[in-house]
Amino acid sequence: AQSVTQLGSHVSVSEGALVLLRCNYSSSVPPYLFWYVQYPNQGLQLLLKYTSAATLVKGINGFEAEFKKSETSFHLTKPSAHMSDAAEYFCAVSEGVAGNKLTFGGGTRVLVKP
Amino acid sequence: NAGVTQTPKFRILKIGQSMTLQCAQDMNHNYMYWYRQDPGMGLKLIYYSVGAGITDKGEVPNGYNVSRSTTEDFPLRLELAAPSQTSVYFCASSAGLGNVLTFGAGSRLTVL
Protein backbone atom coordinates (compact mmCIF):
# COMPACT_ATOMS: atom_id res chain seq x y z
CA ALA A 1 0.00 0.00 0.00
CA GLN A 2 1.14 3.50 -0.69
CA SER A 3 1.32 6.29 1.87
CA VAL A 4 2.47 9.89 2.16
CA THR A 5 3.83 11.78 5.14
CA GLN A 6 4.13 15.55 5.19
CA LEU A 7 6.34 16.85 7.97
CA GLY A 8 4.79 19.88 9.64
CA SER A 9 1.13 20.75 9.43
CA HIS A 10 1.92 24.49 9.54
CA VAL A 11 4.88 26.45 8.19
CA SER A 12 5.46 30.16 8.67
CA VAL A 13 7.86 32.02 6.38
CA SER A 14 8.75 35.66 5.83
CA GLU A 15 8.05 37.23 2.47
CA GLY A 16 11.14 36.74 0.30
CA ALA A 17 12.41 33.77 2.30
CA LEU A 18 12.84 30.19 1.14
CA VAL A 19 9.78 27.95 1.24
CA LEU A 20 10.54 24.28 1.99
CA LEU A 21 7.75 21.73 2.39
CA ARG A 22 8.72 18.16 3.14
CA CYS A 23 7.10 15.04 1.71
CA ASN A 24 8.09 11.41 2.16
CA TYR A 25 6.27 8.54 0.50
CA SER A 26 6.12 4.79 0.43
CA SER A 27 5.13 2.79 -2.62
CA SER A 28 5.60 -0.80 -3.70
CA VAL A 29 6.16 0.23 -7.33
CA PRO A 30 7.83 3.25 -8.95
CA PRO A 31 5.55 6.10 -8.01
CA TYR A 32 4.01 9.07 -9.68
CA LEU A 33 4.23 12.03 -7.29
CA PHE A 34 2.26 15.24 -7.19
CA TRP A 35 2.03 18.51 -5.31
CA TYR A 36 -1.33 20.24 -5.19
CA VAL A 37 -2.20 23.64 -3.72
CA GLN A 38 -5.49 24.66 -2.15
CA TYR A 39 -6.36 28.32 -1.70
CA PRO A 40 -9.05 29.21 0.85
CA ASN A 41 -12.51 27.93 -0.05
CA GLN A 42 -11.32 26.45 -3.32
CA GLY A 43 -10.60 23.01 -4.75
CA LEU A 44 -7.12 21.65 -5.28
CA GLN A 45 -4.96 22.77 -8.19
CA LEU A 46 -1.92 20.96 -9.56
CA LEU A 47 1.45 22.60 -8.84
CA LEU A 48 3.68 19.97 -10.40
CA LYS A 49 4.08 16.25 -10.98
CA TYR A 50 6.86 13.68 -11.25
CA THR A 51 6.34 10.79 -13.65
CA SER A 52 9.79 9.13 -13.86
CA ALA A 53 11.38 11.61 -16.23
CA ALA A 54 13.68 14.34 -14.83
CA THR A 55 14.13 14.13 -11.06
CA LEU A 56 13.93 17.91 -10.67
CA VAL A 57 10.45 19.03 -11.59
CA LYS A 58 9.46 22.64 -12.17
CA GLY A 59 5.90 23.74 -11.57
CA ILE A 60 3.79 26.83 -11.64
CA ASN A 61 4.37 30.00 -9.61
CA GLY A 62 8.12 29.37 -9.20
CA PHE A 63 7.79 26.11 -7.26
CA GLU A 64 9.94 23.06 -7.90
CA ALA A 65 10.39 19.64 -6.34
CA GLU A 66 13.13 17.06 -6.41
CA PHE A 67 12.51 13.31 -6.47
CA LYS A 68 15.08 11.43 -4.38
CA LYS A 69 14.53 7.69 -4.62
CA SER A 70 17.15 6.83 -1.98
CA GLU A 71 15.39 9.05 0.53
CA THR A 72 11.84 8.31 -0.72
CA SER A 73 11.29 12.06 -0.69
CA PHE A 74 9.69 14.67 -2.91
CA HIS A 75 10.24 17.98 -1.13
CA LEU A 76 8.73 21.19 -2.53
CA THR A 77 10.70 24.44 -2.61
CA LYS A 78 10.39 28.03 -3.73
CA PRO A 79 13.39 30.36 -3.42
CA SER A 80 11.42 33.48 -2.46
CA ALA A 81 8.00 33.43 -0.82
CA HIS A 82 5.29 35.80 -1.93
CA MET A 83 2.20 36.77 0.01
CA SER A 84 0.09 34.99 -2.61
CA ASP A 85 1.75 31.68 -1.66
CA ALA A 86 -0.29 31.51 1.52
CA ALA A 87 -2.32 28.33 1.05
CA GLU A 88 -2.42 24.67 1.99
CA TYR A 89 -0.17 22.30 0.09
CA PHE A 90 -0.72 18.59 -0.41
CA CYS A 91 1.71 15.93 -1.53
CA ALA A 92 0.18 12.88 -3.24
CA VAL A 93 1.33 9.56 -4.67
CA SER A 94 -0.11 7.10 -7.16
CA GLU A 95 1.35 3.74 -8.01
CA GLY A 96 2.97 4.63 -11.29
CA VAL A 97 1.22 4.44 -14.60
CA ALA A 98 -0.98 1.58 -13.40
CA GLY A 99 -2.32 3.58 -10.48
CA ASN A 100 -5.70 5.22 -10.81
CA LYS A 101 -6.03 6.49 -7.25
CA LEU A 102 -4.13 9.19 -5.43
CA THR A 103 -3.12 8.91 -1.79
CA PHE A 104 -2.71 12.31 -0.14
CA GLY A 105 -0.61 13.51 2.73
CA GLY A 106 -2.14 15.43 5.60
CA GLY A 107 -1.31 18.81 4.11
CA THR A 108 0.91 21.72 5.16
CA ARG A 109 -0.58 25.15 5.65
CA VAL A 110 1.79 27.96 4.70
CA LEU A 111 1.58 31.36 6.34
CA VAL A 112 3.58 34.19 4.75
CA LYS A 113 4.56 37.08 7.02
CA PRO A 114 5.21 40.52 5.56
CA ASN B 1 -15.46 24.97 -20.14
CA ALA B 2 -16.86 24.47 -16.64
CA GLY B 3 -14.59 21.56 -15.61
CA VAL B 4 -15.96 19.78 -12.51
CA THR B 5 -19.13 21.21 -10.99
CA GLN B 6 -20.35 20.26 -7.52
CA THR B 7 -23.67 21.09 -5.91
CA PRO B 8 -24.62 22.13 -3.32
CA LYS B 9 -21.72 24.22 -1.97
CA PHE B 10 -23.07 24.12 1.58
CA ARG B 11 -25.60 21.94 3.35
CA ILE B 12 -26.69 21.32 6.91
CA LEU B 13 -28.32 17.99 7.69
CA LYS B 14 -29.91 16.55 10.76
CA ILE B 15 -28.78 13.17 12.06
CA GLY B 16 -30.53 10.40 10.13
CA GLN B 17 -31.40 12.47 7.09
CA SER B 18 -30.26 11.51 3.61
CA MET B 19 -28.97 13.57 0.73
CA THR B 20 -27.11 13.40 -2.56
CA LEU B 21 -24.07 15.45 -3.50
CA GLN B 22 -24.03 16.08 -7.21
CA CYS B 23 -20.91 16.06 -9.40
CA ALA B 24 -20.73 16.69 -13.13
CA GLN B 25 -17.79 17.07 -15.49
CA ASP B 26 -17.77 18.23 -19.08
CA MET B 27 -14.29 17.05 -20.09
CA ASN B 28 -15.33 13.54 -21.19
CA HIS B 29 -13.13 12.06 -18.47
CA ASN B 30 -13.56 8.36 -17.76
CA TYR B 31 -12.22 8.45 -14.21
CA MET B 32 -14.12 10.15 -11.42
CA TYR B 33 -13.50 10.27 -7.68
CA TRP B 34 -15.05 11.37 -4.41
CA TYR B 35 -12.77 12.50 -1.59
CA ARG B 36 -13.52 13.88 1.84
CA GLN B 37 -11.24 16.40 3.51
CA ASP B 38 -10.94 16.67 7.28
CA PRO B 39 -8.55 19.08 9.05
CA GLY B 40 -5.03 17.66 9.34
CA MET B 41 -6.05 14.43 7.63
CA GLY B 42 -5.56 15.36 4.00
CA LEU B 43 -8.00 13.88 1.53
CA LYS B 44 -9.41 10.38 1.89
CA LEU B 45 -10.85 8.51 -1.09
CA ILE B 46 -14.48 7.46 -0.62
CA TYR B 47 -15.41 5.94 -3.99
CA TYR B 48 -14.14 6.06 -7.52
CA SER B 49 -15.24 5.09 -11.01
CA VAL B 50 -13.26 4.15 -14.09
CA GLY B 51 -16.19 4.52 -16.47
CA ALA B 52 -19.95 4.52 -16.77
CA GLY B 53 -21.45 1.58 -14.90
CA ILE B 54 -18.25 0.80 -12.97
CA THR B 55 -17.63 1.92 -9.40
CA ASP B 56 -15.36 0.75 -6.61
CA LYS B 57 -14.73 1.50 -2.96
CA GLY B 58 -11.93 3.67 -1.76
CA GLU B 59 -10.43 3.99 1.70
CA VAL B 60 -13.52 5.24 3.60
CA PRO B 61 -16.71 4.06 1.84
CA ASN B 62 -18.90 3.26 4.87
CA GLY B 63 -22.08 5.31 5.00
CA TYR B 64 -21.90 6.34 1.35
CA ASN B 65 -23.09 5.06 -2.01
CA VAL B 66 -22.39 6.08 -5.58
CA SER B 67 -23.64 5.41 -9.07
CA ARG B 68 -22.26 6.19 -12.52
CA SER B 69 -24.98 5.95 -15.11
CA THR B 70 -23.32 8.42 -17.50
CA THR B 71 -19.75 9.54 -18.19
CA GLU B 72 -20.58 13.06 -17.02
CA ASP B 73 -22.24 12.47 -13.65
CA PHE B 74 -21.05 10.82 -10.43
CA PRO B 75 -23.43 11.52 -7.52
CA LEU B 76 -22.54 10.63 -3.93
CA ARG B 77 -25.39 9.47 -1.71
CA LEU B 78 -25.34 9.79 2.07
CA GLU B 79 -27.84 7.54 3.83
CA LEU B 80 -28.66 8.09 7.51
CA ALA B 81 -26.31 11.04 8.01
CA ALA B 82 -24.09 10.95 11.10
CA PRO B 83 -21.98 13.68 12.75
CA SER B 84 -18.85 11.80 11.60
CA GLN B 85 -19.80 12.68 8.03
CA THR B 86 -19.35 16.38 8.71
CA SER B 87 -16.62 17.24 6.22
CA VAL B 88 -15.75 18.95 2.98
CA TYR B 89 -16.36 16.72 -0.01
CA PHE B 90 -14.45 17.02 -3.26
CA CYS B 91 -15.27 15.45 -6.57
CA ALA B 92 -12.48 15.03 -9.12
CA SER B 93 -12.01 13.59 -12.58
CA SER B 94 -9.14 12.53 -14.80
CA ALA B 95 -8.63 11.38 -18.35
CA GLY B 96 -7.06 8.08 -17.33
CA LEU B 97 -4.26 6.24 -15.62
CA GLY B 98 -1.51 8.48 -14.31
CA ASN B 99 -3.29 11.62 -15.42
CA VAL B 100 -3.75 14.74 -13.37
CA LEU B 101 -6.96 15.12 -11.37
CA THR B 102 -9.20 18.11 -11.91
CA PHE B 103 -11.08 19.02 -8.74
CA GLY B 104 -14.40 20.66 -8.12
CA ALA B 105 -14.74 23.56 -5.67
CA GLY B 106 -16.04 21.33 -2.89
CA SER B 107 -19.24 20.80 -0.90
CA ARG B 108 -19.22 21.60 2.81
CA LEU B 109 -21.55 19.33 4.75
CA THR B 110 -22.47 19.70 8.41
CA VAL B 111 -24.46 17.04 10.25
CA LEU B 112 -26.05 18.17 13.51
Side-chain angles (χ1 to χ4, degrees):
Chain A
Q2 56 200 26
S3 66
V4 178
T5 301
Q6 291 184 240
L7 186 61
S9 59
H10 292 79
V11 167
S12 181
V13 299
S14 297
E15 192 173 19
L18 171 72
V19 179
L20 170 60
L21 305 182
R22 300 180 187 275
C23 172
N24 289 90
Y25 70 91
S26 68
S27 177
S28 57
V29 299
Y32 281 10
L33 294 158
F34 305 81
W35 276 99
Y36 282 83
V37 60
Q38 184 181 32
Y39 298 104
N41 301 313
Q42 295 186 25
L44 280 69
Q45 304 171 33
L46 181 72
L47 268 181
L48 50 81
K49 67 176 183 178
Y50 166 78
T51 57
S52 76
T55 57
L56 183 62
V57 182
K58 295 187 182 300
I60 62 171
N61 301 336
F63 284 93
E64 63 181 32
E66 185 173 10
F67 171 69
K68 291 187 176 180
K69 183 178 179 180
S70 61
E71 299 177 7
T72 60
S73 69
F74 191 56
H75 301 331
L76 181 72
T77 60
K78 181 174 181 178
S80 177
H82 190 272
M83 297 299 291
S84 61
D85 295 326
E88 189 159 19
Y89 294 79
F90 294 92
C91 183
V93 62
S94 72
E95 291 184 341
V97 69
N100 57 15
K101 297 173 287 184
L102 285 186
T103 298
F104 285 85
T108 298
R109 188 171 297 277
V110 173
L111 171 67
V112 182
K113 300 177 293 184
Chain B
N1 187 351
V4 178
T5 302
Q6 292 183 234
T7 56
K9 293 188 183 304
F10 303 93
R11 182 74 185 268
I12 298 175
L13 283 181
K14 295 182 179 179
I15 294 172
Q17 288 185 321
S18 300
M19 76 160 297
T20 299
L21 298 177
Q22 301 292 344
C23 176
Q25 53 92 8
D26 61 359
M27 298 171 285
N28 201 32
H29 285 172
N30 284 323
Y31 290 72
M32 295 188 74
Y33 310 82
W34 275 106
Y35 286 89
R36 60 176 288 172
Q37 182 183 25
D38 300 297
M41 302 298 291
L43 280 76
K44 302 293 186 184
L45 183 64
I46 304 171
Y47 271 96
Y48 68 102
S49 170
V50 300
I54 306 170
T55 63
D56 206 350
K57 296 178 180 178
E59 186 179 358
V60 290
N62 292 343
Y64 307 94
N65 278 300
V66 294
S67 59
R68 185 93 182 271
S69 57
T70 66
T71 298
E72 295 78 18
D73 300 298
F74 191 43
L76 178 71
R77 178 80 176 166
L78 281 72
E79 305 282 2
L80 299 175
S84 61
Q85 294 178 304
T86 294
S87 188
V88 181
Y89 292 84
F90 287 98
C91 181
S93 71
S94 75
L97 296 177
N99 279 268
V100 173
L101 270 61
T102 299
F103 283 84
S107 298
R108 184 177 295 275
L109 176 66
T110 301
V111 182
L112 301 174

